[in-house]
Amino acid sequence: MAKIIKDFQVEVSKQEILRLLGHTSKPEEIKERSKKLVEEMISFSCDLIKPEGIFVIRESRELPEECFFNAEKVAFCICTIGKLLEKQVERLTNQEELARAVTLDAIGSVAAESTAEHLNQVIADEAKKKKLYGNTRFSPGYGGWKLEAQRFIFDILPAEKIGVRLNRSFMMIPRKSVSFAVNLSRNRFKDENSDPCQICGLKECRFRKDAKRSATLLGAVEKVKLRECHSESTEGGRRISP
């Protein structure tokens, strides 16, 4: 039986947003104007991000996919932040407010990843009850798993219950959605705490995270709880109207 998870908070990292925008300099070297734009658009995005997800845990012997190695069970998940944010990105683009549109799009990407991390933790907690360990989550289109496997996941999960569908090119709509699988076993996996970027085959990806740099910045990363952000911006009279 698939489980739907909703009504939870996600966090977005300003540093991660800036990284996606191409600001790879040291935090103190990033222009104040860029930081202020990110802060402005985070506030703007508060009412636009509606995270939810759906997942199911299946017996591995029932599955034909070759990626489910050394696993007794496999969890499949689809999650999304909804369609409101990308509609605003489209509106800003049409109004030629490109800087705001690109920044809001980056916020959506970070929020979608944060949503996936939240669902991954929910799955880990569920697996723990069954005395199972999970490995690093992996998605169709990365590593050795073909993008066409999206159809496999969508055949297993009723994604329409969270408003997500698949187009003919195996891309999810809304765009800020994530699908993934997690192998589950009674024995620990070697890669259970690995960063997905470290096992992805796209070595030249410009968005690839550097493990050492991420560890250095971890203590300095400022995270913003979107719902708290909405509350503070409204009470302080700084809310930006759509």
Side-chain angles (χ1 to χ4, degrees), residues 217-233:
L217 293 174
L218 188 59
V221 168
E222 181 175 358
K223 292 184 176 179
V224 180
K225 287 189 177 180
L226 291 170
R227 291 187 181 179
E228 292 179 1
C229 156
H230 167 65
S231 176
E232 292 172 0
S233 60

Side-chain angles (χ1 to χ4, degrees), residues 5 10 13 44 95 148 154 176 194 210 225 228 234 236:
I5 308 297
V10 295
S13 160
F44 180 76
Q95 293 176 348
E148 289 81 355
F154 274 72
K176 301 305 182 185
S194 298
D210 180 82
K225 287 189 177 180
E228 292 179 1
T234 302

